[in-house]
Amino acid sequence: MACVSGLVYHHGEFIEGHLELSEGGARFLKGPGDDALAEGIIIPKLVNCHTHLGDVFIPRPEGGSIREIVAPPDGLKHRMLRRVSEEEQVAAMHGAIARMRRSGLSHFIDFREGGLEGVKRLLNASIGTHVRPVIFGRPSTQAFDEAEVDSLLSVVDGIGVSGIAEWNRGELKELADMARRAGKPFSLHASESMREDIDAILDMRPAFLIHMIEATDSDLEVCASSQTPIVVCPTANSFFGIRAPVERMLEAGVKVCLGTDNAMLATPDILSEMRALRAMVQKDRLSNPALFRICLDNGRKTLNSILGLSAEVGEYGDFLVLDKPLDDPFGQVLEATEEDIHPVSFQKFDGEVR
């Protein structure tokens, strides 16, 4: 039976083995495989847990505050989003998604601005890319309109909003409750530039939170006890001179996931973002196995509740083979680029592209 062989990643460690390939997926077996189609370091395909891909057409600003650059309704990003043509935006997003695929990504969770029109543009941009956008849409304004939300919920995977500060609290609760009644998760940015009331945030029952830069230890402990994951975005945060308290999050027991945030500020490449997180946190506070659980396991576990995506390498044929030496696999993965991904990673067993 066809296989790929080498060191196979499994929940924070690498095991010598191989994946037997079939039309139904791949089965892990210990030990080397015979007549392997490819040999190397085998990891799951990557998940980007937070993007705003719609602003990828905007040149990277030289500087500015969160409010000046990305805050609704009148930050630079939102002014540009109101002006951009559908053709320009869709083409830019399509190019970005194609690059995400080449860098080994299978899914990305996008907070999609622009109501139904924004969702439509992202869906059109993803056609033919073989990458699955997990779309967390939002109303076209910071106001609850039941008819608009009902239409939105018929096409999105979830609802993702900017934060509690931009909304009337009661209307935001209506939005979150309506999403859950439709069986769709709700999420939001929280405590990004100033601390916000964690009780009010968790009252929305979010599936996960974005940033929590200004969270207190108590806030993080509440997130851990409520099993609310937090997505961190090191590169985009660094543009604003801020930093997620990853060490305190882990000490509190929070499940941490990795995203890239605004495409105008950071390339949506998780291999690159892994390196940014590794450089940000010292190894005595974040070991390589713990880093890899954040980057390779936790995002897929978060998506498991939304899409049923497995965290197991090879499930449904979902794996990457990195054409790298087998010594120091953690270091080799951290150095990997799209040029190191073996072409077999993009094929089904029957030879079709996936």
Side-chain angles (χ1 to χ4, degrees), residues 249-305:
M249 291 176 182
L250 296 173
E251 288 169 3
V254 171
K255 180 189 289 184
V256 178
C257 304
L258 188 65
T260 56
D261 208 358
N262 299 93
M264 64 189 280
L265 302 179
T267 177
D269 176 354
I270 287 296
L271 288 173
S272 176
E273 202 69 14
M274 285 176 69
R275 290 190 283 274
L277 181 57
R278 174 69 289 162
M280 188 178 88
V281 184
Q282 294 182 358
K283 285 187 179 179
D284 62 346
R285 304 292 299 276
L286 177 65
S287 67
N288 275 337
L291 170 73
F292 276 52
R293 284 191 289 271
I294 290 172
C295 302
L296 301 184
D297 295 317
N298 289 354
R300 298 178 70 89
K301 289 178 180 178
T302 297
L303 279 184
N304 180 264
S305 63

Side-chain angles (χ1 to χ4, degrees), residues 4 12 21 49 94 105-106 131-132 148 164 218 315 345 347:
V4 293
L21 307 179
C49 287
H94 182 84
L105 190 133
S106 63
V131 174
R132 168 70 154 88
E148 180 188 17
I164 60 172
S218 176
E315 190 79 11
S345 306
Q347 294 180 346

Side-chain angles (χ1 to χ4, degrees), residues 230-261:
I230 299 173
V231 182
V232 299
C233 308
T235 301
N237 287 164
S238 69
F239 176 87
F240 297 111
I242 56 178
R243 179 189 186 281
V246 174
E247 299 91 336
R248 292 194 291 116
M249 291 176 182
L250 296 173
E251 288 169 3
V254 171
K255 180 189 289 184
V256 178
C257 304
L258 188 65
T260 56
D261 208 358

Side-chain angles (χ1 to χ4, degrees), residues 50-121:
H50 185 59
T51 65
H52 291 273
L53 209 62
D55 58 33
V56 69
F57 70 94
I58 303 173
R60 195 173 197 264
E62 293 185 2
S65 67
I66 290 174
R67 179 161 297 280
E68 291 168 334
I69 302 297
V70 296
D74 293 319
L76 170 67
K77 161 185 161 173
H78 294 277
R79 298 196 307 272
M80 296 293 286
L81 287 175
R82 288 193 289 268
R83 297 173 191 166
V84 68
S85 71
E86 178 177 0
E87 181 181 13
E88 179 184 1
Q89 189 180 35
V90 168
M93 289 193 293
H94 182 84
I97 298 170
R99 291 192 296 274
M100 291 161 82
R101 178 180 180 269
R102 291 196 298 271
S103 65
L105 190 133
S106 63
H107 297 74
F108 64 100
I109 303 176
D110 193 81
F111 274 31
R112 186 83 304 275
E113 300 91 353
L116 280 170
E117 175 64 21
V119 173
K120 182 193 79 171
R121 291 185 184 189

Side-chain angles (χ1 to χ4, degrees), residues 1-6 8 17-38 42 313-319 344 348-349 354:
M1 180 175 288
C3 73
V4 293
S5 184
V8 182
H18 63 282
L19 299 180
E20 284 190 348
L21 307 179
S22 68
E23 292 186 14
R27 182 167 67 110
F28 170 72
L29 296 170
K30 289 187 176 181
D34 297 327
D35 300 320
L37 298 175
I42 303 166
V313 64
E315 190 79 11
Y316 312 115
D318 193 6
F319 63 87
V344 75
K348 289 184 178 178
F349 173 65
R354 62 174 172 86

